[in-house]
Amino acid sequence: MSVESLFPRLEPLLPKVQKPIQYVGGELNSTVKDWDEASVRWALMYPDAYEIGLPNQGVQILYEILNELPDTMAERTYAVWPDLEALMRSEGVPQFTVDAHRPVRAFDVFGVSFSTELGYTNLLTALDLAGIPLDAVDRTDEDPIVLAGGHAAFNPEPIADFLDAAVLGDGEQIAIAISEVVREWKEEGSPGGRDELLMRLASTGGVYVPKFYDVEYHPDGRIMRVVPNRPGVPSRIFKHTVMDLDEWPYPKKPLVPLAETVHERFSVEIFRGCTRGCRFCQAGMITRPVRERSITTIGDMVENGIRESGFNEVGLLSLSSADHSEIGDVAKGLADRYEGTNTSLSLPSTRVDAFNIDLANEFSRNGRRSGLTFAPEGGSERMRKVINKMVTEEDLIRTVTTAYSQGWRQVKLYFMCGLPTEEDVDVLGIADLAKKVIQAGREATGSKDVRCTVSIGGFVPKPHTPFQWAAQCDHETVDRRLRELRDSLRGDKEYGRAIGYRYHDGKPSIVEGLLSRGDRRVGRVIRAVWEDGGRFDGWTEHFSYERWMRAAEKALADETVDVDWYTIREREEHEVLPWDHLDAGLDREWLWQDWQDAMSDVEVEDCRWTPCYDCGVCPTMGTEIQVGPTGKKLLPLTVI
């Protein structure tokens, strides 16, 4: 039975809201399929505004892969701003997709991709607007399966009450597998209802269904154990890993936004995973092993993506793009091909110790030299050893000196505040480092026309990292250190005007810490915040620390735990962590040893270039590191 478009009811509301164009759909390369010809229907959501959500690579890839299946359709939905939310509620317009403006509740699967935990309240808004019960236990066969993915899904426990299922890791293959399970179940007449469908998904070992697991607690609030509550449900759930990225050259037809978005470029993921071993970096830990795309596939994807989208900027993405074994040949081949055109190339993620000026020159051949960005992360040599960011002060000064001498005038440096074992002097070291960067630039250029911007965020311990046991720094200490750093920078008459300073205060980090390492009890806090008006918590103008603390005090009043217990408390080695039954492939003993090494300032090498150091991923996941060189070249591609 066909589902009618909601657009006739939505359209009269659009003149009354800001940026109405974000809700109308019809982007280049968007897909609208016949409802009746599809047997499995997905609504895919990035739980943030259109301008943030549309460029998201993960959602775009799944959208395209699912729509390539003959019996499957996928449409997109994003979080609506509060002005439209109020109108939708008053006029009875439910959450809709932007492709064909169909009601989200009519789909079989409602897949939500979480890059950050601060999108949880937006999930509740979307569920409520869609008419889907917030609590999974209240849903009927008329409701879609609410499925979470993305990096935050590696600990979905804080939103377990609101989810039917979650998947860990790469989505390309598991999305197709889930579609097949749903299709077969529907063709059989939906036996056993949604409970049977969830059981079929859970029994594969690749889909986590929270309702099939019970959590038991010690009297002091710690978790005693997490156990399956019915036969046939595995005790551990494993992440998914795509091993040949060349077989998945997506997106082939990138979406071109109608409204302004945060990234207006065509992005190619040149490799997935990272083994640099930065102890704070959840993305690097959970995406192991490293899997490179071949140089020829990268060239084909760039050529095809520009042709299909019309974008004039291409970003080569990964967690540390300059680490690709053939990045020099990639850069030269693409620069040769597009020299003289309006197509520019960018390398958004670059390590100080992987950067070289030849590479930068290739990428700037068709564009202006606006600035270079590096992330030392720690302000002192000692802190960089603690976090295993093996970048010395000499490395940084040498790199920026070369860049300034070659014509660059702006350098941006990223740091974190609140790292384990951090002291005041480590943060003030950021000011000394920034001043040395400016001095090096002035000496290299013979001019004072050089700039350095320091950008600082609060550190949040993340699951599946060596710092998952660490105590988070309280926001008062973080804010005090950031004020002292600001005063040190601004008070310097010789360098102060040449150094920009951007920082995020410590309060949002505490909330993120509560959500990232929380358990199922935190779901009550999320719901209380949402009921109190919490929306778009990743946006400074919408975030309210006071609302979160008020909700937490109320929601956890009858518990032996509070916000401090979840955030600034250090965990013991054998404490059961909320995500211990969710397997990212990392050996828990190895993570603990790396945490101990951090306390002793012991550094760990990158296993791409050194012998294996037994993190556990490759044997556990049945995978292996895949790096070049392939010995191939991009050219002969036709030079444009």
Side-chain angles (χ1 to χ4, degrees), residues 218-441:
H218 290 290
D220 64 1
R222 292 176 299 120
I223 294 174
M224 182 183 303
R225 60 178 186 161
V226 179
V227 291
N229 56 30
R230 63 181 67 192
V233 176
S235 59
R236 294 181 71 77
I237 298 85
F238 297 93
K239 76 168 182 178
H240 300 272
T241 305
V242 171
M243 281 310 298
D244 189 348
L245 292 183
D246 283 355
E247 292 184 355
W248 302 87
Y250 295 89
K252 298 174 183 176
K253 294 187 175 184
L255 292 164
V256 181
L258 297 178
E260 183 179 3
T261 60
V262 290
H263 299 302
E264 298 197 350
R265 65 186 179 214
F266 172 57
S267 297
V268 175
E269 186 183 24
I270 63 175
F271 70 85
R272 193 171 292 180
C274 181
T275 46
R276 285 283 191 167
C278 299
R279 294 176 173 124
F280 60 86
C281 182
Q282 184 190 47
M285 292 291 172
I286 64 177
T287 59
R288 294 178 177 208
V290 171
R291 292 144 286 153
E292 288 187 355
R293 274 202 168 100
S294 68
I295 183 172
T296 49
T297 298
I298 294 169
D300 291 343
M301 289 179 69
V302 171
E303 181 182 22
N304 177 75
I306 291 172
R307 180 177 62 248
E308 294 290 344
S309 68
F311 283 122
N312 60 10
E313 181 182 347
V314 177
L316 303 184
L317 303 186
S318 79
L319 292 174
S320 182
S321 296
D323 282 340
H324 191 286
S325 62
E326 295 180 296
I327 190 63
D329 287 336
V330 170
K332 185 178 188 309
L334 291 176
D336 287 345
R337 175 167 173 74
Y338 297 104
E339 186 169 16
T341 71
N342 67 344
T343 300
S344 62
L345 308 170
S346 64
L347 204 65
S349 176
T350 310
R351 285 179 60 103
V352 170
D353 50 349
F355 174 88
N356 66 72
I357 207 66
D358 292 335
L359 186 62
N361 284 334
E362 295 290 5
F363 278 101
S364 64
R365 215 193 287 182
N366 272 356
R368 60 191 180 89
R369 299 183 175 185
S370 55
L372 295 170
T373 301
F374 302 106
E377 307 292 1
S380 68
E381 201 93 1
R382 187 190 69 83
M383 279 312 310
R384 291 192 289 276
K385 287 182 178 180
V386 168
I387 63 177
N388 205 48
K389 188 85 175 188
M390 291 180 282
V391 174
T392 66
E393 181 177 304
E394 290 73 22
D395 289 334
L396 179 63
I397 298 302
R398 181 173 60 251
T399 298
V400 298
T401 298
T402 306
Y404 284 132
S405 68
Q406 293 292 315
W408 275 270
R409 291 295 176 265
Q410 172 74 35
V411 169
K412 182 182 289 186
L413 303 177
Y414 281 110
F415 296 92
M416 285 186 292
C417 182
L419 289 161
T421 78
E422 179 184 275
E423 299 176 358
D424 292 5
V425 67
D426 297 306
V427 177
L428 290 175
I430 296 172
D432 295 333
L433 199 55
K435 293 171 187 177
K436 290 177 181 177
V437 165
I438 292 297
Q439 181 59 34

Side-chain angles (χ1 to χ4, degrees), residues 44-64 76-78 111-116 149-151 250-251 253-255 257 261-265 267 269 311 317:
L44 297 174
M45 182 182 195
Y46 189 85
D48 210 321
Y50 177 95
E51 62 198 86
I52 306 293
L54 184 130
N56 180 261
Q57 192 87 337
V59 172
Q60 286 208 31
I61 290 171
L62 294 182
Y63 175 75
E64 191 170 327
R76 297 162 293 125
T77 186
Y78 304 103
V112 189
S113 179
F114 290 102
S115 297
T116 170
H151 285 185
Y250 295 89
K253 294 187 175 184
L255 292 164
T261 60
V262 290
H263 299 302
E264 298 197 350
R265 65 186 179 214
S267 297
E269 186 183 24
F311 283 122
L317 303 186

Side-chain angles (χ1 to χ4, degrees), residues 181-195:
V181 172
V182 174
R183 183 186 63 77
E184 289 181 357
W185 173 76
K186 291 180 70 176
E187 285 180 352
E188 293 171 11
S190 306
R194 68 189 292 112
D195 205 59

Side-chain angles (χ1 to χ4, degrees), residues 106-149:
F107 288 77
D108 298 308
V109 183
F110 180 28
V112 189
S113 179
F114 290 102
S115 297
T116 170
E117 297 84 1
L118 293 176
Y120 289 163
T121 50
N122 285 351
L123 166 66
L124 299 192
T125 302
L127 290 173
D128 193 54
L129 284 174
I132 301 169
L134 296 188
D135 290 316
V137 295
D138 296 330
R139 292 173 195 148
T140 70
D141 293 353
E142 304 302 312
D143 296 303
I145 298 299
V146 179
L147 175 72

Side-chain angles (χ1 to χ4, degrees), residues 8-60:
R9 296 165 59 189
L10 175 68
E11 188 176 20
L13 309 182
L14 297 183
K16 304 175 184 178
V17 302
Q18 293 184 341
K19 298 182 181 179
I21 195 171
Q22 67 187 305
Y23 305 117
V24 302
E27 302 96 340
L28 179 65
N29 294 326
S30 61
T31 302
V32 176
K33 299 179 79 170
D34 188 290
W35 183 270
D36 295 325
E37 292 186 3
S39 58
V40 181
R41 307 173 182 102
W42 289 67
L44 297 174
M45 182 182 195
Y46 189 85
D48 210 321
Y50 177 95
E51 62 198 86
I52 306 293
L54 184 130
N56 180 261
Q57 192 87 337
V59 172
Q60 286 208 31

Side-chain angles (χ1 to χ4, degrees), residues 364-546:
S364 64
R365 215 193 287 182
N366 272 356
R368 60 191 180 89
R369 299 183 175 185
S370 55
L372 295 170
T373 301
F374 302 106
E377 307 292 1
S380 68
E381 201 93 1
R382 187 190 69 83
M383 279 312 310
R384 291 192 289 276
K385 287 182 178 180
V386 168
I387 63 177
N388 205 48
K389 188 85 175 188
M390 291 180 282
V391 174
T392 66
E393 181 177 304
E394 290 73 22
D395 289 334
L396 179 63
I397 298 302
R398 181 173 60 251
T399 298
V400 298
T401 298
T402 306
Y404 284 132
S405 68
Q406 293 292 315
W408 275 270
R409 291 295 176 265
Q410 172 74 35
V411 169
K412 182 182 289 186
L413 303 177
Y414 281 110
F415 296 92
M416 285 186 292
C417 182
L419 289 161
T421 78
E422 179 184 275
E423 299 176 358
D424 292 5
V425 67
D426 297 306
V427 177
L428 290 175
I430 296 172
D432 295 333
L433 199 55
K435 293 171 187 177
K436 290 177 181 177
V437 165
I438 292 297
Q439 181 59 34
R442 289 175 177 177
E443 291 176 357
T445 62
S447 166
K448 289 193 174 184
D449 183 27
V450 292
R451 294 274 300 167
C452 173
T453 299
V454 171
S455 184
I456 308 182
F459 166 69
V460 179
K462 292 287 186 176
H464 306 284
T465 71
F467 289 162
Q468 64 183 359
W469 289 277
Q472 186 171 351
C473 188
D474 62 87
H475 72 86
E476 293 90 351
T477 300
V478 169
D479 289 343
R480 176 183 58 77
R481 288 173 177 166
L482 291 175
R483 286 194 300 271
E484 291 175 359
L485 174 59
R486 178 198 61 197
D487 294 343
S488 176
L489 290 170
R490 291 181 178 175
D492 192 297
K493 294 182 179 180
E494 185 175 359
Y495 297 104
R497 292 182 177 228
I499 301 172
Y501 182 49
R502 299 175 183 173
Y503 67 94
H504 303 283
D505 66 68
K507 290 180 178 179
S509 297
I510 290 294
V511 172
E512 188 180 344
L514 169 69
L515 299 177
S516 68
R517 291 195 292 176
D519 52 43
R520 295 187 182 185
R521 293 168 290 190
V522 174
R524 297 176 226 159
V525 181
I526 298 169
R527 183 164 186 157
V529 167
W530 176 78
E531 290 173 344
D532 194 28
R535 307 288 191 274
F536 291 93
D537 288 291
W539 296 68
T540 302
E541 60 267 39
H542 294 276
F543 175 80
S544 169
Y545 179 77
E546 290 71 25

